[in-house]
């Protein structure tokens, strides 16, 4: 109310100044005129406050609308991102399958090459994948051991036995890797 009174006094002073300039100095305002001016100033103040309140409401509504639009846009962007990731996931899965297929092919080629090298190397080592060859090798090694005459022959037998054990360990590791421990 104090603010309203202050505004009224300012409005009154302004209106009196304009009235004084427009009217002769002899006329004073009546109490009714002053009350009317006070009422007009109060109504003007109310209109001004209502206008500010409506403007604030409009700004708040606009801000809320913008926030909703941003949330909607974020939601749409997330949906698009999820779709893109799903498509990329399919592509990555195909690429992984292709890479695994190529790796398996290369590993099989390498294994074939190793097996071929073993075949053409003409060694007396047994193929450790076959139990019968291991048994034959062990029996022959026992017979040769009794007939070994020098230290060099004994060392050669030990080296050959060590290679067979290495082959057995390699076969065991491959079997464990494939989950075939019984082999």
């Amino acid at each position: 109310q104090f603010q309203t009174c202050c505004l009224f006094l300012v409005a009154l002073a302004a209106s009196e100044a304009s009235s004084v300039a427009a009217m002769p100095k002899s006329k004073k305002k009546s109490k009714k005129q002053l009350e009317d001016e006070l009422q007009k100033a109060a109504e003007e103040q109310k209109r001004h406050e209502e206008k500010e309140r409506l403007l604030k409401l409009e700004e708040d509504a606009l801000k809320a609308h913008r926030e909703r639009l941003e949330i909607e846009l974020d939601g749409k962007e997330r949906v698009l991102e999820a779709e893109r990731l799903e498509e990329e996931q399919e592509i990555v899965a195909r690429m992984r399958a292709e890479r695994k297929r190529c790796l398996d092919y290369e590993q099989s080629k390498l294994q074939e090459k190793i097996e071929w090298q073993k075949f053409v190397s003409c060694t007396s080592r047994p193929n450790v994948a076959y139990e019968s060859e291991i048994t034959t090798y062990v029996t022959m090694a026992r017979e040769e051991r009794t007939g070994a005459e020098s230290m060099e022959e004994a060392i050669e037998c030990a080296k050959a036995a060590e290679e067979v054990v290495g082959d057995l360990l390699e076969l065991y590791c491959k079997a464990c890797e494939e989950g075939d421990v019984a082999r």
Side-chain angles (χ1 to χ4, degrees):
Q1 286 186 354
F2 176 73
Q3 187 181 14
T4 307
C5 286
C6 289
L7 288 174
F8 169 71
L9 290 176
V10 170
L12 183 62
S15 66
E16 282 183 10
S18 63
S19 302
V20 169
M23 296 183 161
K25 289 188 176 186
S26 60
K27 273 194 163 181
K28 284 188 175 183
K29 292 187 180 181
S30 68
K31 188 176 181 182
K32 174 79 173 157
Q33 287 176 330
L34 289 175
E35 287 175 357
D36 287 344
E37 287 178 7
L38 180 62
Q39 187 177 5
K40 284 181 183 178
E43 288 175 2
E44 182 65 30
Q45 178 66 25
K46 283 183 180 179
R47 278 191 296 244
H48 180 68
E49 288 174 357
E50 182 65 18
K51 186 177 179 182
E52 286 181 1
R53 186 184 68 80
L54 291 175
L55 186 60
K56 174 92 168 105
L57 283 175
E58 186 178 329
E59 288 174 0
D60 290 345
L62 185 59
K63 184 178 178 181
H65 181 68
R66 283 184 185 143
E67 288 175 357
R68 273 194 313 275
L69 287 177
E70 286 179 16
I71 290 170
E72 267 184 44
L73 184 60
D74 285 346
K76 287 179 182 178
E77 287 176 356
R78 286 183 184 148
V79 167
L80 290 174
E81 180 74 10
E83 289 173 356
R84 183 186 63 80
L85 287 174
E86 189 175 317
E87 290 173 3
E88 286 180 3
Q89 188 176 13
E90 292 173 5
I91 292 169
V92 168
R94 283 195 306 261
M95 290 174 70
R96 283 184 178 165
E98 178 67 20
R99 187 172 34 180
K100 183 173 180 354
R101 189 182 62 75
C102 288
L103 182 62
D104 290 345
Y105 174 76
E106 289 299 322
Q107 285 178 338
S108 68
K109 294 296 279 182
L110 182 62
Q111 188 62 35
E112 287 175 7
K113 185 177 179 180
I114 290 170
E115 289 174 5
W116 178 252
Q117 289 298 323
K118 284 182 182 180
F119 179 75
V120 296
S121 66
C122 298
T123 62
S124 61
R125 285 191 327 213
N127 185 347
V128 293
Y130 302 105
E131 187 177 349
S132 61
E133 287 189 30
I134 296 171
T135 306
T136 305
Y137 177 79
V138 169
T139 305
M140 288 177 59
R142 281 186 189 152
E143 290 174 5
E144 287 179 9
R145 186 180 65 173
T146 57
E149 296 178 9
S150 69
M151 183 62 87
E152 287 87 23
E153 290 177 0
I155 290 175
E156 289 298 321
C157 285
K159 285 182 181 179
E162 187 178 1
E163 290 174 356
V164 171
V165 170
D167 291 346
L168 281 169
L169 283 173
E170 181 181 338
L171 182 66
Y172 176 74
C173 289
K174 284 183 184 177
C176 287
E177 186 179 289
E178 294 170 1
D180 185 16
V181 180
R183 181 171 52 153

